Amino acid sequence: YSWLRPKVREGAENPRMQQIGTLSSSVLWLTWNLFGERLGRRRSDRFAVLRYEDFAREPRPTLERILSWLDEPDDLAQFQDDHTVTLATTHTSSGNPNRHGTGPVSIRLDDRWQTDLTPWQRLQVTALCWPIMSRYGYLHSARSTKVSAAL
């Protein structure tokens, strides 16, 4: 769903970010997740999957659990509360234009795809992604929360 929405890149030669459809974004989601799993499991015995929805519902507690699991210091001073973090300037080469935001940012679940994707688009995503969606618990949650796609 995120790839369908128009976004503007400030200061870019071509300010409109590329938009792609549900089929292409589903293939990208599958590719990134399968590659990430394979690379993660090959390089470490400490591999975990973190779903966007789970992080967005509890950002600070989720990061606290991850840091504890990794035996890293719990240095989350940039959090003002469980859902608000103060972002500093970063330097990245690609990604969502939101990555350039600074100051207080509220981390919140964006589940507009549930109402804004058409039934046909949700069916396409589910048909392509169902094996991984099932492994990540999306199909199980679909029965109780009407979640039927992972984008």
Side-chain angles (χ1 to χ4, degrees), residues 88-100:
T89 302
T90 60
H91 303 282
T92 60
S93 59
S94 70
N96 190 303
N98 293 345
R99 74 188 185 284
H100 297 300

Side-chain angles (χ1 to χ4, degrees), residues 57-111:
R57 283 187 186 102
E58 296 185 308
R60 184 181 181 134
T62 299
L63 290 176
E64 288 171 346
R65 285 191 298 273
I66 291 170
L67 290 171
S68 174
W69 179 61
L70 294 172
D71 296 321
E72 291 291 330
D74 179 355
D75 183 17
L76 298 174
Q78 62 274 32
F79 272 88
Q80 297 175 4
D81 58 41
D82 282 353
H83 287 272
T84 307
V85 63
T86 302
L87 298 180
T89 302
T90 60
H91 303 282
T92 60
S93 59
S94 70
N96 190 303
N98 293 345
R99 74 188 185 284
H100 297 300
T102 59
V105 173
S106 176
I107 301 171
R108 59 180 172 68
L109 180 65
D110 180 0
D111 59 0

Side-chain angles (χ1 to χ4, degrees), residues 9-50:
R9 297 177 294 183
E10 298 294 327
E13 185 176 314
N14 180 5
R16 277 187 67 97
M17 241 180 108
Q18 177 186 8
Q19 292 173 257
I20 60 175
T22 52
L23 292 176
S24 295
S25 63
S26 295
V27 169
L28 285 172
W29 185 83
L30 280 170
T31 303
W32 292 331
N33 281 279
L34 289 172
F35 180 74
E37 278 188 28
R38 183 174 179 153
L39 185 63
R41 292 183 199 285
R42 179 185 292 172
R43 293 195 172 189
S44 174
D45 60 341
R46 296 175 67 169
F47 174 82
V49 172
L50 174 61

Side-chain angles (χ1 to χ4, degrees), residues 110-134:
D110 180 0
D111 59 0
R112 290 176 289 174
W113 64 268
Q114 293 183 37
T115 55
D116 292 358
L117 282 180
T118 67
W120 173 244
Q121 289 170 320
R122 285 195 305 274
L123 179 63
Q124 288 176 320
V125 172
T126 303
L128 280 170
C129 300
W130 73 267
I132 293 182
M133 289 174 63
S134 178

